């Protein structure tokens, strides 16, 4: 569990896109960020107050989150100088970088002497159990995709926001690095050892109140041959009561696999339900979430209407048009 | 790759079953074992010559394989003394124990000074790639089970033996600790990091001659919620041309999951084929392998005939009645 609130470190981000972790925190957990810190040449801006470490400390910040991807996999001299200072000033550090903070000898040494924590969210910090398949109290919904990176995380986050606005009990459950940094907790599923994948998701979504919903962050796709085993573990560990089908209609082939076509929404529905019902016979598909960012408003609306008619399910782009339809459907489960 | 031939270390095995790794090597790679070494009180016997380290060395043995499970997860003083001696005499050590040889400081130190290798086959020794899904030359068959531990490894090994007898090109590809120790090579799939599972199976079953068959050792079951992600990765990484359905008819629930019933062979067939055809549209189910060890000969034959009639597929217990039927079916693919 990463201590909040955060100071968002944007480093020397070459553009806004490089700071997508910071953007995610700003969008989904605005209360977690007291401000941002940018080095010379930084081209990203979250519209938050620019703070020094001392100012952030005075505002109660506990952790400096590296909200930006680094270039070439190296932690630069300029970054390092700042990160050491942050530890010395009493901040923990949290990072989703491929190269781990703990592998940087100087950072590890300063963290030891100052008693601060280095959170490398790319790798698990827990010894997860093997899944036992026992029925847990409370409800769970899982977005599943026709492909990777079709908006499963955003679907869950949009729904969480809408549900909390309505006063429903809902918790986004992060299973990837960005989600973990946004919410401060979760399971880095793609880095978990094979035998413990499903168990890590049981651990992430424990017994809860009967009317509480876990919104589990999806990963991969049952139809993406590189990562399908990860998706399978999410379904069988997550014990979903409800599934949401996620799709990006303009994609011409599976991400990173030029020879592989995307499945139909019908194929995704049938396969996902078959698998989910192994662990929860009552599981249902409640709606379709379409990532329409590459489509005009007119085309998006036509497409969504067509999907609704064809699938007999509510369909929306929750980021563009709100998650209301999906939450209505969930509320009826 | 573990160097052969082996000396099989049976330690102080309390019974024959505790030495199942040694039994597997004796049954499936008899040429790999020059003899056995037993400590006082050993109740297992492979029917191999009892050799000292010196005698085994003279017969060309390169590696001492720990062919027995240890009690309580500790490497005892008696074992340790022998293992140190083996390293000093120029043997490598290979083990599938949960506690790793490399974590025993004295063994690690002696291995360093003598330049010998400690093979802990429970954990991967390779950085596997992410699966790319590219079509590979040669053919592959994968046994899939209604449950864990229903005879998938034995099915593949029986078929390999029969195929080699017939002069067919066939290689058993190990994906578990016992299989790796039996054959000296393979992927410890249950210990691979989630993102690299399917890639590890692509690595294990590379391009080959057009008429060569890889017989991939199965793991878990699509219907076993603790390990289904591992099975999924085998299907999508293995790119199977043929599947064999494996079943143990007397089991009353999924192994370790009292609340879960076994699926029907029809459900296993349909789900496995749907998934396999994502990566290989030409994949077919060629037969059924039934573990009948808990049944009388008469009951087993009745059951197999019933399955053949119902499924329209050849069905046999390859360990009890030979793998001929399954190999005939494979030969027709």
């Amino acid at each position: 569990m990463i201590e909040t609130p955060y100071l968002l470190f944007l480093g020397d981000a070459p553009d806004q896109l490089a700071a997508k972790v910071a953007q995610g925190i700003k969008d989904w957990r605005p209360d977690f960020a007291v401000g941002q810190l940018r080095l010379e040449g930084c081209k990203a801006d979250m519209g938050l107050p620019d703070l020094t470490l001392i100012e952030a400390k005075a505002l109660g910040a506990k952790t400096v989150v590296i909200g930006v991807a680094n270039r070439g996999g190296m932690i630069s001299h300029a970054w390092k100088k700042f990160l050491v200072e942050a530890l010395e000033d009493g901040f923990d550090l949290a990072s989703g970088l491929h190269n781990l903070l703990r592998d940087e000898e100087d950072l590890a040494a300063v963290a030891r002497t100052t008693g601060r924590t280095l959170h490398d969210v790319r790798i698990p910090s827990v010894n997860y159990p093997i899944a036992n398949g026992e029925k847990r109290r409370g409800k769970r919904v899982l977005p599943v995709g026709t492909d990777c990176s079709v908006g499963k995380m955003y679907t869950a986050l949009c729904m969480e926001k809408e549900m909390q606005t309505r006063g429903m009990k809902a918790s986004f459950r992060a299973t990837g690095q960005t989600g973990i940094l946004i919410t401060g907790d979760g399971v880095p599923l793609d880095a978990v050892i094979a035998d413990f994948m499903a168990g890590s998701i049981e651990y992430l979504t424990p017994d809860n109140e009967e009317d509480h919903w876990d919104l589990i962050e999806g990963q991969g796709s049952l139809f993406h041959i590189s990562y399908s085993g990860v998706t399978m573990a999410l379904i069988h560990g997550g014990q979903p009561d409800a599934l949401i089908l996620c799709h990006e209609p303009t994609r011409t082939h599976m991400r990173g696999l030029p020879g592989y076509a995307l499945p139909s929404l019908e194929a995704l529905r049938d396969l996902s339900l078959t698998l989910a019902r192994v662990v929860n016979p009552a599981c249902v598909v409640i709606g379709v979430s379409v990532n329409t960012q590459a489509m005009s408003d007119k085309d998006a609306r036509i497409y969504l209407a067509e999907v609704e008619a064809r699938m007999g399910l509510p369909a929306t782009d929750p980021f563009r048009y709100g998650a209301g339809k999906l939450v209505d459907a969930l509320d009826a489960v």
Side-chain angles (χ1 to χ4, degrees), chain A:
Chain A
M1 192 93 195
I2 304 169
E3 278 201 86
T4 57
Y6 303 149
L7 172 65
L8 303 183
F9 175 64
L10 307 187
D12 44 3
D15 52 38
Q16 197 75 4
L17 201 64
K20 84 168 182 174
V21 166
Q23 188 70 55
I25 294 168
K26 165 74 190 322
D27 288 346
W28 301 108
R29 292 291 186 271
D31 297 348
F32 281 10
V34 300
Q36 62 188 13
L37 192 147
R38 302 187 289 169
L39 299 180
E40 208 181 299
C42 181
K43 301 283 199 303
D45 185 354
M46 297 301 127
L48 293 168
D50 284 293
L51 303 177
T52 64
L53 285 166
I54 306 297
E55 290 165 345
K57 193 87 195 167
L59 290 168
K62 297 277 195 292
T63 304
V64 170
V65 172
I66 299 182
V68 56
N70 58 339
R71 285 178 271 195
M74 291 285 295
I75 295 182
S76 69
H77 181 72
W79 282 32
K80 189 65 76 61
K81 187 164 163 289
F82 164 78
L83 296 175
V84 167
E85 225 174 284
L87 288 169
E88 288 171 346
D89 288 348
F91 290 95
D92 291 340
L93 302 181
S95 155
L97 301 178
H98 270 286
N99 37 343
L100 305 182
L101 298 175
R102 72 187 65 177
D103 290 342
E104 303 286 322
E105 282 178 31
D106 39 4
L107 292 182
V110 179
R112 259 195 312 277
T113 56
T114 57
R116 307 316 313 166
T117 303
L118 303 176
H119 296 282
D120 285 304
V121 304
R122 273 208 178 259
I123 53 173
S125 54
V126 172
N127 287 323
Y128 302 112
I130 286 176
N132 64 26
E134 286 170 22
K135 180 76 184 159
R136 305 192 291 291
R137 293 176 61 242
K139 296 182 189 176
R140 287 152 200 91
V141 56
L142 176 71
V144 291
T146 51
D147 193 2
C148 299
S149 309
V150 291
K152 296 185 295 294
M153 183 180 83
Y154 269 68
T155 299
L157 285 166
C158 290
M159 289 178 68
E160 184 199 40
K161 202 171 195 171
E162 172 71 17
M163 291 170 82
Q164 290 178 342
T165 304
R166 296 189 189 185
M168 296 170 72
K169 294 172 190 160
S171 309
F172 174 78
R173 301 296 191 183
T175 63
Q177 285 77 20
T178 305
I180 295 172
L181 286 173
I182 289 176
T183 59
D185 204 3
V187 167
L189 184 57
D190 62 8
V192 172
I193 299 281
D195 254 5
F196 304 97
M197 293 186 300
S200 75
I201 303 305
E202 291 190 348
Y203 172 94
L204 180 69
T205 60
D207 261 329
N208 216 316
E209 296 169 81
E210 292 295 357
D211 58 346
H212 176 278
W213 280 95
D214 279 326
L215 300 142
I216 307 174
E217 182 188 352
Q219 294 293 337
S221 164
L222 294 169
F223 294 86
H224 194 296
I225 63 94
S226 311
Y227 309 115
S228 52
V230 178
T231 313
M232 181 73 128
L234 269 166
I235 294 176
H236 282 170
Q239 249 173 44
D241 301 278
L243 299 170
I244 293 170
L245 311 180
C246 299
H247 186 51
E248 206 285 64
T250 68
R251 204 163 287 183
T252 54
H253 61 75
M254 297 295 282
R255 192 176 164 89
L257 302 174
Y260 289 80
L262 271 73
S264 66
L265 284 166
E266 288 85 346
L268 176 64
R269 175 195 63 201
D270 294 345
L271 180 56
S272 305
L273 261 189
T274 299
L275 293 171
R277 286 180 174 168
V278 169
V279 68
N280 185 353
C283 184
V284 288
V285 172
I286 59 135
V288 184
S289 173
V290 183
N291 177 346
T292 65
Q293 69 178 343
M295 304 167 88
S296 70
D297 175 67
K298 189 181 158 207
D299 287 351
R301 289 179 190 277
I302 292 171
Y303 183 83
L304 290 169
E306 188 270 323
V307 167
E308 289 204 337
R310 202 178 91 218
M311 303 292 293
L313 290 167
T316 188
D317 180 332
F319 194 67
R320 192 172 191 171
Y321 303 122
K325 277 188 182 182
L326 298 175
V327 173
D328 291 346
L330 203 64
D331 211 12
V333 172

